[in-house]
Amino acid sequence: MINHKETKIGIIGLGYVGLPLAVEFGKKYETIGFDINSQRIKELKSGNDMTLEVHSDEISASKKLQFTSETSDIKSCNIFIVTVPTPIDANKKPDLTPLIKASETVGKILKKDDLVIYESTVFPGATEDVCVPVLEQNSSLVFNKDFFCGYSPERINPGDKERRLTLIKKITSGSTEESSEIVDKLYQSIITAGTYKAGSIKIAEAAKVIENTQRDINIALINELSMIFNKLDINTQAVLEAAGTKWNFLPFQPGLVGGHCIGIDPYYLTHKAIEVGHHPEIILAGRRLNDNMGSYVAGQVTKLMIKKRIHVVDANILIMGLTFKENCPDIRNSKVVDLVSELKGYNCQVDVYDPWVDIKRAEAEYNLSLIKKPELGKYDAIVLAVAHKEFRELTAEEVRSYGKDVSIIFDIKFLFEESEVDGRL
């Protein structure tokens, strides 16, 4: 079914998803990693990955892998795998621009019997209703006659060095029985955890989008419980630990919900639901609550400051962590940015420190000037926003040394005991 000598794979998009995929396929098949960002290609050719998902040794060990930003270099490929981002716009509507542009690129070089596989998270129907027409229009080929499609949603967990690509079970699907089998066999050749062949592309699309929607709703519930327990003067973490002694209690934690998946994917599902005439109440309620957590935390911090008679206006505040999750340089859709914005709205002077983030990237993406190191004794309030290993290694006393004699510590990530900080979620 899969001929190693004849198969030539083109990976479209070399971010957190595309690069690990290209590296694995490049160990077995002729593979070309394509990205429109020429600087990214230059970086990868030198063996460096700014996302830190793949080590330079892994790139060099992938002997059949090449990198390019030239479309002409991927013309000879017969399998194309699209791994571009699927963000939302300012109105929280799906922005399929990257997906459509990638489909246009592939369509212009698509040949008879080629296979196009999409990995980007989308709403059910997007592959066949949005992408396929673009492929047909740009190639003058007929879907399921001249070319075929598949969908195998990405399940990469950025920063996770244990559950890596090959160790995560892969959902696969195809536009015909034969293409479905080809897609499944292709991924089976690199995924040691195995594959699950879905009955259709739409089923695979739906399965992916509900994975993160479910997590989003569960975290929203815990965030709301945290708000309730705060008003009741009950330790949320102690409640969760007690409830967690039952075998079927799900171990979710309160916090800021950002990133390229959980904070975005539910909007893809709700968009499609509304389009077909259903108003999704629970999903949107969870999204609203999680989207407002930055504002809620800012309010809690300022209340604690006022209780200690610390002037909020012109106060110096240190935010420790900017990424959307720990031990990862990914700042896409980070809700820490919302927290910073809210505190600046109180006319506070906010310093953001994150040893994992490229300072230039934070400036370009969020217009934030990160500090290289916090000053001792400078801050009126310190907020632990991300549980990086560097922060876990600090004691509460060391963190408090960044503060003035009268200051507060607010611990979003439960890094310290309740008695060691002034406030937690």
Side-chain angles (χ1 to χ4, degrees):
M1 191 69 72
I2 300 293
N3 188 319
H4 288 243
K5 291 182 179 179
E6 294 179 4
T7 296
K8 192 169 185 179
I9 301 171
I11 308 292
I12 315 301
L14 296 173
Y16 286 85
V17 176
L19 180 60
L21 198 65
V23 167
E24 289 303 321
F25 276 125
K27 294 175 182 177
K28 295 191 174 186
Y29 308 96
E30 290 297 326
T31 303
I32 301 176
F34 172 85
D35 200 291
I36 58 173
N37 186 340
S38 56
Q39 184 57 40
R40 174 68 167 160
I41 296 301
K42 184 179 178 182
E43 165 196 314
L44 293 174
K45 283 183 175 180
S46 68
N48 297 316
D49 171 29
M50 63 170 286
T51 70
L52 304 182
E53 287 300 304
V54 177
H55 193 270
S56 58
D57 291 346
E58 295 176 284
I59 295 176
S60 59
S62 192
K63 301 298 184 183
K64 297 184 178 183
L65 174 62
Q66 304 172 55
F67 298 111
T68 186
S69 58
E70 299 295 330
T71 308
S72 57
D73 291 337
I74 57 173
K75 277 185 175 181
S76 59
C77 295
N78 48 27
I79 296 178
F80 299 93
I81 303 179
V82 179
T83 64
V84 297
T86 43
I88 53 175
D89 62 21
N91 297 314
K92 303 188 187 302
K93 301 292 185 183
D95 179 5
L96 296 178
T97 304
L99 198 63
I100 291 170
K101 287 187 176 298
S103 298
E104 288 173 350
T105 297
V106 173
K108 289 172 183 176
I109 57 174
L110 200 61
K111 306 175 298 302
K112 189 170 173 57
D113 295 328
D114 281 356
L115 174 64
V116 185
I117 304 169
Y118 289 89
E119 287 217 4
S120 306
T121 304
V122 291
F123 51 77
T127 299
E128 291 157 301
D129 299 341
V130 178
C131 299
V132 165
V134 175
L135 292 172
E136 287 186 316
Q137 182 180 352
N138 284 274
S139 67
S140 298
L141 298 175
V142 179
F143 178 51
N144 280 342
K145 177 185 175 185
D146 300 320
F147 74 93
F148 305 88
C149 282
Y151 183 78
S152 181
E154 61 90 3
R155 282 176 160 176
I156 291 287
N157 188 24
D160 191 336
K161 300 308 177 187
E162 292 183 9
R163 289 179 288 269
R164 305 193 71 184
L165 171 66
T166 60
L167 302 179
I168 304 171
K169 195 161 193 172
K170 203 87 163 68
I171 295 174
T172 66
S173 64
S175 55
T176 64
E177 272 191 45
E178 185 180 4
S179 62
S180 178
E181 187 68 18
I182 292 172
V183 173
D184 195 59
K185 293 294 183 184
L186 181 69
Y187 282 102
Q188 276 186 21
S189 69
I190 65 164
I191 305 295
T192 55
T195 60
Y196 177 88
K197 189 163 61 171
S200 69
I201 286 177
K202 284 183 180 178
I203 290 172
E205 290 169 327
K208 167 57 181 176
V209 81
I210 71 165
E211 287 175 14
N212 289 319
T213 300
Q214 183 187 64
R215 285 182 57 78
D216 191 42
I217 292 170
N218 277 309
I219 297 170
L221 170 63
I222 302 301
N223 276 336
E224 186 161 51
L225 292 175
S226 174
M227 295 174 183
I228 295 170
F229 295 145
N230 178 60
K231 287 185 176 293
L232 295 173
D233 196 25
I234 299 174
N235 183 328
T236 300
Q237 186 68 7
V239 173
L240 294 176
E241 288 174 1
T245 59
K246 189 178 181 185
W247 74 91
N248 61 352
F249 184 82
L250 302 178
F252 287 92
Q253 294 285 324
L256 303 176
V257 186
H260 66 297
C261 287
I262 299 179
I264 291 175
D265 294 358
Y267 288 120
Y268 273 75
L269 183 57
T270 57
H271 165 80
K272 192 63 180 180
I274 292 169
E275 193 177 79
V276 296
H278 176 78
H279 182 74
E281 296 184 21
I282 294 175
I283 299 172
L284 287 175
R287 270 289 77 229
R288 281 194 299 271
L289 196 146
N290 283 340
D291 274 345
N292 288 324
M293 282 304 289
S295 176
Y296 174 75
V297 171
Q300 294 300 107
V301 169
T302 54
K303 283 179 184 177
L304 288 169
M305 291 170 68
I306 291 168
K307 283 183 179 179
K308 281 197 172 184
R309 299 185 184 278
I310 300 171
H311 290 290
V312 175
V313 175
D314 292 328
N316 288 307
I317 298 180
L318 173 65
I319 307 293
M320 298 181 69
L322 177 63
T323 61
F324 85 89
K325 65 178 293 187
E326 66 275 7
N327 306 326
C328 169
D330 197 345
I331 58 174
R332 290 175 294 171
N333 193 36
S334 170
K335 291 303 175 182
V336 179
V337 175
D338 295 351
L339 171 59
V340 173
S341 178
E342 289 288 336
L343 290 171
K344 285 184 176 180
Y346 288 108
N347 288 324
C348 299
Q349 307 300 315
V350 183
D351 283 352
V352 181
Y353 171 59
D354 194 317
W356 283 80
V357 175
D358 180 82
I359 292 176
K360 290 182 180 178
R361 190 178 177 200
E363 177 74 38
E365 195 155 333
Y366 294 116
N367 196 28
L368 282 177
S369 298
L370 270 61
I371 61 172
K372 293 183 178 179
K373 191 177 181 181
E375 292 182 37
L376 295 174
K378 175 181 177 179
Y379 301 101
D380 297 289
I382 301 158
V383 181
L384 291 152
V386 185
H388 289 315
K389 61 183 181 182
E390 291 85 350
F391 300 159
R392 287 187 177 277
E393 291 168 356
L394 297 173
T395 64
E397 187 177 337
E398 287 172 319
V399 172
R400 200 171 285 279
S401 70
Y402 297 135
K404 296 176 181 177
D405 290 340
V406 180
S407 59
I408 67 122
I409 295 177
F410 193 87
D411 184 5
I412 295 176
K413 302 302 292 186
F414 298 96
L415 296 181
F416 301 116
E417 296 297 324
E418 186 181 29
S419 60
E420 296 178 297
V421 298
D422 299 277
R424 303 196 298 183
L425 280 180

